[in-house]
């Protein structure tokens, strides 16, 4: 608890600062020396700061996922999983919006094929076939779980302001906070004892209520920041929805950790575990939030 209370506010401040910076550079002129990196654009595209921040987080999470796979007897490569995760992010933010839906889908499929074939070649480079199937499946898992699903946040950023993405994250994590403190205070009935002994039904309800309140309050602050109006009723509904979906995402990561025989993905963030332990709920909420906003 002490470590969470010390590190939590710092993480919140850093997150808000990154989103503020992303909104600040949106459409700002790109220095001539850097324009070649952005396809000769003259202004920064939406989500520039968020992409580079997300790429760093995706690489860190991919390294944790590789360690989890290794603990399960799968000789996964941290480099392959990291490249797969970043490629998934690139698919979400670099495919031009004007190429058509069919071409966009095929571009994502092509990236998945590259990940799969690349992993097969990498893990057979020593002229051995042992574990190739499992390692290639791990690469695809990183592409989808840490790349494509995480990339939905960048896809939201392409169509909305940075504050909308921050609202989605705040609503999702508020359920974690509400569930934690409610469960500690009055939690008695275990949610899924064999998977996550610390979670209770009381905590789940408390978290959903808190995320609903944050969703409703946050939506009223977004009226001047988004092209579509989100009423407080719709925001509250989204808060409950995102909060519950986020709890499922947390349970899914618990499933992976239990299968690997570990408690936390890593000890990178004292009091919170690893990067993947923080991202588990937003990863599942991101695609739900994208389609809800659409």
């Amino acid at each position: 608890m002490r470590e969470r209370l010390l590190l939590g506010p710092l993480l919140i401040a850093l997150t808000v600062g990154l989103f503020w910076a992303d909104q600040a550079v949106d459409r700002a002129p790109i220095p001539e020396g850097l324009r070649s990196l952005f396809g000769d654009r003259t202004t920064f595209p939406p989500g520039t700061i968020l992409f580079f921040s997300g790429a760093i987080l995706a690489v860190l999470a991919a390294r944790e996922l590789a360690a989890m796979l290794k603990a399960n007897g799968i000789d996964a490569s941290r480099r392959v999983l990291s490249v797969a995760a970043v490629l998934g992010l690139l698919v979400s933010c670099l495919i031009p919006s004007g190429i058509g839906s069919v071409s966009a889908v095929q571009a994502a499929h092509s990236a998945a094929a590259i990940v799969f074939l690349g992993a097969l070649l990498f893990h057979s480079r020593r002229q051995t076939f042992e574990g190739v199937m499992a390692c290639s499946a791990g690469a695809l898992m990183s592409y989808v779980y840490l790349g494509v699903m995480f990339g939905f946040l960048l896809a939201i950023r392409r169509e909305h302001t940075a504050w909308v993405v921050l609202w989605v994250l705040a609503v999702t994590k508020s359920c974690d906070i509400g569930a934690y403190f409610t469960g500690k205070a009055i939690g008695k009935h275990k949610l899924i004892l064999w998977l996550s002994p610390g979670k209770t039904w009381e905590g789940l309800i408390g978290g959903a209520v808190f995320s609903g309140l944050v969703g409703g309050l946050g939506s009223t602050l977004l009226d001047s920041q988004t092209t579509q109006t989100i009423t407080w009723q719709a925001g509250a509904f989204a808060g409950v929805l995102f909060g519950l979906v986020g709890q499922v995402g947390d349970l899914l990561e618990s499933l992976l950790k239990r299968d690997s025989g570990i408690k936390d993905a890593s000890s990178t963030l004292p009091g919170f575990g690893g990067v993947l332990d923080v991202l588990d709920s937003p990863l599942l909420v991101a695609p739900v939030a994208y389609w809800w906003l659409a």
Side-chain angles (χ1 to χ4, degrees):
M1 175 66 73
R2 183 175 63 88
E3 292 174 332
R4 289 192 178 197
L5 292 177
L6 290 174
L7 184 59
L10 294 178
L11 293 177
I12 293 174
L14 176 60
T15 301
V16 173
L18 288 174
F19 278 88
W20 175 87
D22 185 82
Q23 189 64 40
V25 303
D26 188 3
R27 313 298 182 181
I30 301 177
E32 291 188 7
L34 298 177
R35 289 181 181 178
S36 59
L37 299 176
F38 294 88
D40 292 326
R41 289 177 57 105
T42 58
T43 59
F44 286 104
T48 300
I49 301 296
L50 294 186
F51 167 74
F52 289 107
S53 303
I56 294 173
L57 291 176
V59 169
L60 293 174
R63 294 171 67 88
E64 294 175 353
L65 180 61
M68 293 167 64
L69 292 172
K70 286 181 181 292
N72 223 350
I74 300 174
D75 189 23
S77 167
R78 291 181 295 183
R79 286 176 291 175
V80 171
L81 266 63
S82 297
V83 170
V86 173
L87 187 57
L89 285 178
L90 289 172
V91 165
S92 300
C93 64
L94 292 187
I95 294 179
S97 57
I99 68 171
S101 57
V102 175
S103 297
V105 169
Q106 295 309 314
H109 291 172
S110 298
I114 291 172
V115 169
F116 177 62
L117 294 175
L120 285 175
L121 292 173
F122 181 85
H123 290 290
S124 61
R125 69 191 185 283
R126 297 193 180 95
Q127 300 183 9
T128 179
F129 51 79
E130 294 182 0
V132 171
M133 185 182 298
C135 292
S136 300
L140 283 175
M141 180 179 181
S142 181
Y143 171 78
V144 175
Y145 187 41
L146 305 179
V148 173
M149 292 174 65
F150 196 2
F152 270 96
L153 293 176
L154 298 178
I156 294 174
R157 180 63 184 95
R158 292 180 66 170
E159 302 175 12
H160 302 276
T161 66
W163 305 119
V164 174
V165 184
L166 182 60
W167 172 71
V168 172
L169 294 179
V171 167
T172 302
K173 299 309 292 185
S174 66
C175 187
D176 293 345
I177 297 172
Y180 179 81
F181 285 103
T182 305
K184 286 288 185 181
I186 60 174
K188 294 181 179 180
H189 301 87
K190 299 299 182 181
L191 183 62
I192 304 180
L193 183 61
W194 63 271
L195 180 59
S196 186
K199 293 187 179 299
T200 62
W201 284 102
E202 291 84 355
L204 179 64
I205 295 173
V209 170
F210 188 50
S211 61
L213 292 174
V214 173
L217 177 61
S219 65
T220 62
L221 301 176
L222 289 175
D223 286 343
S224 61
Q225 301 292 333
T226 180
T227 57
Q228 63 186 104
T229 301
I230 304 177
T231 65
W232 71 264
Q233 296 96 331
F237 172 80
V240 175
L241 175 63
F242 297 167
L244 293 177
V245 172
Q247 292 304 294
V248 176
D250 186 277
L251 291 171
L252 288 179
E253 199 231 349
S254 295
L255 190 67
L256 300 178
K257 291 189 294 185
R258 297 295 180 268
D259 189 33
S260 302
I262 60 176
K263 183 179 183 297
D264 293 319
S266 73
S267 56
T268 303
L269 303 172
F272 293 91
V275 173
L276 195 52
D277 294 309
V278 176
L279 294 179
D280 53 7
S281 49
L283 285 174
L284 194 61
V285 169
V288 176
Y290 174 84
W291 290 112
W292 184 85
L293 287 167

